[in-house]
Amino acid sequence: MFDQTRVIRKALAIVVLLLMTVISQAEDHPNIIVIYADDLGFGDLSCYNSEAAYETPRLDQMAAEGIRFTDAHSPSTVCSPSRYGLFSGQQIFRSTGRGGGAFEGPGGPSYLKPGTRTVAQMLQQQGYRTGVFGKWHVGLSWFDKEGERLGGGFENSLLIDYEKSTPLMDGPNARGFDESFVTPNCPNTDPLYVYIENGKVAAPASERHDPKRLPNPGGKWRWDNDAGWMSPGYDFINADLLFFEKTKAFIKDHRQHTPDKPFFAVLSTQIAHAPVLPAEEFNGATEAGPRADFVWELDVLVGRVLDLVKELGIDDETLVLFNSDNGPETLHVNWMRHDHEHDPSGGWRGMKRDGWEGGHRVPFIARWPGHIPPHQVSAQMTNTTDIFATLASVVGVSLPDDAATDSFDMLPVMLGHQDESRSVRPHLLTQSFRGEFQIRQGPWKYLDHQGSGGNNYDVKNMQEWAIPEKSPDAPGQLYNLEVDPGETDNLYFTEEAKRIELQSLLAKLKSSGRSALKNRVPFRMASTQQPSAR
């Protein structure tokens, strides 16, 4: 005879056991903080650029206390596709079929489609409380009063029906974040200018923004602050201070009310995106102009994050990652080179939007006292997409083959257990502004397009940075970065076998649905812990 009570009791016991297992695992997991910079180039930190026109002492300290990667790359050379890569562990063409632009106005829907597993969802399932604060910019769905989805465009901001649009169907809280305080696009560049807290907009965009109301440092650094619609009281100058305070409040509240659980926080800054508008307390902080002051502000905020976890007594229990979404903006490179003899690209060819190294080679630093040995500098090839698989390894999760399909586990490198002569990655994909592909294999790099893949070097402010093409008739580009780091000698025709090999590999990785290996197993951490530095 069917014993319903017995079955129910057995089911409840299983549920309780699973919950206890998750709680037990969560107690062993570190807190995780990702600080994500915006348009920060390889040469913008003094720990990467000994000739920088200013210093970044707190980021230099973070690098000295952990590991600094010198061959790290953003998934794309513009922000929205790279942010998709951070959250999904995938290249943007997995979502769109090719490339992906940066959203403006009420642009959407989200690149993070329903069913796309995010790093936040993965950590939630491991008992983490998750939060994101700052620039979101992976697309959002907004609707007018008729229930029709709105596209981008500044005037469409006035057509939003906030009751029909919120809580946002594809905002952070629908993609794995328990708490969120974000702007839909770049906070100071791309209208609409509103704050979104946990999927709701407290103050709709109802006022016209006039860029002339804002400071114009040096007479030019306000460039790219678009006129558009803003909510009353929207603060352009103190945006990143606000995002830090929201992050701080999330962490402190979490530690006060649920100290037995780990947290995952993303501080998504807008520095050093245009316009350059450092908060008042940072004006004149350096002798290298407003953009250097802006980067100084970022450095101070990173320091405040590190100080916060020490004050809370969780320094050794917290993994902090620092990364950037692409290379530096064109006019920023131009002005910093001319005015201050500072190269935001750090000597690499190209800048934001370009498929050359300067467009996607970026800083990447990791710090976890007692686990990541200090003073490490790694030349391992890595991508922002790797953060997903690395964090999965940190919490002991074996990723299914349909998740984070362009993500490789860099935890062994961070812990000092990977032979530097053995690359974790057999290859690496990046995409430029137009969605065109670049692929790396060891020192070899193939660009599946002519020219930069992004910027037009025939325009006046770019001409002086143009490098004559030695093979102008080649439909693509092939470089050996070991002997030609400046990407000046196109070997498309002279190294035909290697070019065909990389073209075939690129076609395979595009069609297979993944570039990451299958059957990924998390790196075992039990015997790898390092003595605490304290």
Side-chain angles (χ1 to χ4, degrees):
M1 185 175 180
F2 179 70
D3 189 342
Q4 185 177 17
T5 302
R6 185 177 179 183
V7 171
I8 293 173
R9 286 176 178 173
K10 187 175 182 180
L12 287 173
I14 292 173
V15 170
V16 170
L17 180 62
L18 289 172
L19 286 173
M20 289 178 65
T21 301
V22 169
I23 292 171
S24 176
Q25 290 174 341
E27 289 176 347
D28 296 331
H29 295 337
N31 306 304
I32 301 167
I33 301 173
V34 175
I35 304 172
Y36 203 42
D38 199 349
D39 291 8
L40 190 80
F42 185 89
D44 276 327
L45 305 184
S46 50
C47 56
Y48 280 89
N49 181 4
S50 61
E51 299 180 355
Y54 51 86
E55 293 187 354
T56 49
R58 298 310 301 270
L59 279 157
D60 293 3
Q61 173 194 349
M62 180 180 170
E65 294 174 347
I67 186 169
R68 174 170 63 89
F69 289 87
T70 60
D71 199 358
H73 300 264
S74 58
S76 172
T77 62
V78 286
C79 45
S80 294
S82 284
R83 287 161 198 277
Y84 170 80
L86 168 66
F87 294 126
S88 71
Q90 300 181 151
Q91 291 293 138
I92 188 62
F93 76 97
R94 308 291 184 197
S95 174
T96 65
R98 185 165 172 75
F103 293 101
E104 296 182 351
S110 176
Y111 286 147
L112 295 168
K113 296 179 179 179
T116 300
R117 185 175 306 200
T118 69
V119 65
Q121 289 169 333
M122 182 270 292
L123 292 172
Q124 267 186 336
Q125 292 168 359
Q126 297 303 306
Y128 278 74
R129 185 155 185 82
T130 59
V132 60
F133 310 94
K135 176 178 175 177
W136 181 241
H137 215 189
V138 288
L140 293 168
S141 294
W142 302 93
F143 301 92
D144 64 17
K145 63 182 180 180
E146 306 299 330
E148 296 294 324
R149 188 192 302 272
L150 291 165
F154 303 152
E155 298 305 324
N156 277 352
S157 298
L158 291 180
L159 301 179
I160 296 173
D161 186 308
Y162 288 90
E163 289 189 5
K164 285 186 169 62
S165 299
T166 60
L168 290 161
M169 62 184 294
D170 50 6
N173 295 69
R175 296 295 184 264
F177 288 100
D178 297 301
E179 298 287 338
S180 65
F181 184 91
V182 299
T183 59
N185 306 317
C186 186
N188 285 0
T189 304
D190 306 314
L192 68 144
Y193 300 121
V194 295
Y195 301 126
I196 306 168
E197 188 161 19
N198 295 324
K200 302 287 285 185
V201 177
S206 59
E207 295 183 358
R208 185 73 176 182
H209 168 60
D210 182 358
K212 293 180 180 178
R213 298 174 186 167
L214 297 178
N216 191 13
K220 59 187 178 184
W221 290 99
R222 191 178 59 200
W223 168 78
D224 207 22
N225 174 233
D226 293 338
W229 296 96
M230 58 178 278
S231 63
Y234 189 88
D235 191 343
F236 290 86
I237 305 299
N238 297 300
D240 287 289
L241 296 181
L242 175 60
F243 301 151
F244 167 74
E245 289 299 327
K246 292 291 183 178
T247 306
K248 177 181 176 181
F250 167 78
I251 294 172
K252 294 188 75 171
D253 181 76
H254 176 83
R255 293 297 301 167
Q256 180 178 354
H257 293 101
T258 51
D260 56 326
K261 294 178 61 176
F263 65 81
F264 172 58
V266 178
L267 171 55
S268 182
T269 80
Q270 61 160 350
I271 302 172
H273 197 286
V276 173
L277 297 172
E280 185 177 356
E281 66 184 279
F282 302 105
N283 285 323
T286 73
E287 296 181 356
R291 187 176 183 274
D293 296 344
F294 211 25
V295 177
W296 180 271
E297 178 178 351
L298 174 63
D299 187 72
V300 169
L301 292 179
V302 170
R304 290 178 183 176
V305 170
L306 299 179
D307 291 343
L308 175 64
V309 296
K310 287 183 180 180
E311 291 167 7
L312 295 175
I314 55 173
D315 192 27
D316 293 352
E317 306 163 24
T318 304
L319 167 62
V320 183
L321 304 175
F322 178 87
N323 192 217
S324 176
D325 65 356
N326 49 249
E329 181 58 82
T330 54
L331 284 179
H332 289 190
V333 173
N334 200 12
W335 293 336
M336 290 301 290
R337 285 174 177 173
H338 280 291
D339 297 350
H340 302 288
E341 298 182 349
H342 172 83
D343 183 8
S345 295
W348 300 102
R349 184 182 185 184
M351 50 201 85
K352 180 179 179 178
R353 301 179 191 84
D354 294 338
W356 298 313
E357 290 294 286
H360 52 80
R361 190 177 287 234
V362 294
F364 183 34
I365 302 170
R367 176 187 182 274
W368 185 8
H371 295 268
I372 296 178
H375 306 295
Q376 291 189 89
V377 180
S378 175
Q380 284 279 343
M381 186 168 60
T382 184
N383 191 302
T384 300
T385 56
D386 296 340
I387 289 175
F388 198 130
T390 301
L391 296 185
S393 192
V394 167
V395 298
V397 170
S398 296
L399 291 174
D401 288 341
D402 63 351
T405 57
D406 297 301
S407 189
F408 288 76
D409 180 10
M410 302 307 293
L411 184 60
V413 181
M414 294 179 180
L415 298 179
H417 288 266
Q418 180 74 19
D419 186 343
E420 273 288 297
S421 66
R422 293 178 55 247
S423 178
V424 171
R425 276 181 160 272
H427 39 64
L428 180 143
L429 290 176
T430 53
Q431 291 181 261
S432 59
F433 176 63
R434 295 191 290 264
E436 293 167 316
F437 288 90
Q438 304 82 44
I439 184 169
R440 276 277 304 280
Q441 184 188 64
W444 290 97
K445 178 180 178 181
Y446 172 68
L447 296 86
D448 197 33
H449 55 87
Q450 291 183 317
S452 74
N455 294 304
N456 180 2
Y457 280 74
D458 290 330
V459 300
K460 185 176 180 180
N461 67 293
M462 299 293 288
Q463 288 174 352
E464 65 179 304
W465 313 121
I467 297 175
E469 299 294 343
K470 296 182 179 179
S471 300
D473 297 329
Q477 301 166 72
L478 177 68
Y479 301 106
N480 184 333
L481 297 181
E482 189 171 46
V483 297
D484 179 27
E487 298 173 276
T488 61
D489 188 10
N490 187 359
L491 305 174
Y492 185 93
F493 294 117
T494 57
E495 295 286 349
E496 183 179 11
K498 177 56 68 174
R499 183 249 301 169
I500 292 173
E501 177 187 353
L502 291 179
Q503 287 174 325
S504 298
L505 178 59
L506 175 60
K508 176 184 177 182
L509 298 181
K510 288 166 61 179
S511 63
S512 66
R514 64 185 306 105
S515 65
L517 306 176
K518 291 187 176 182
N519 302 316
R520 290 166 289 184
V521 177
F523 184 73
R524 295 181 66 86
M525 290 186 54
S527 61
T528 64
Q529 295 184 7
Q530 302 293 323
S532 174
R534 298 198 301 176

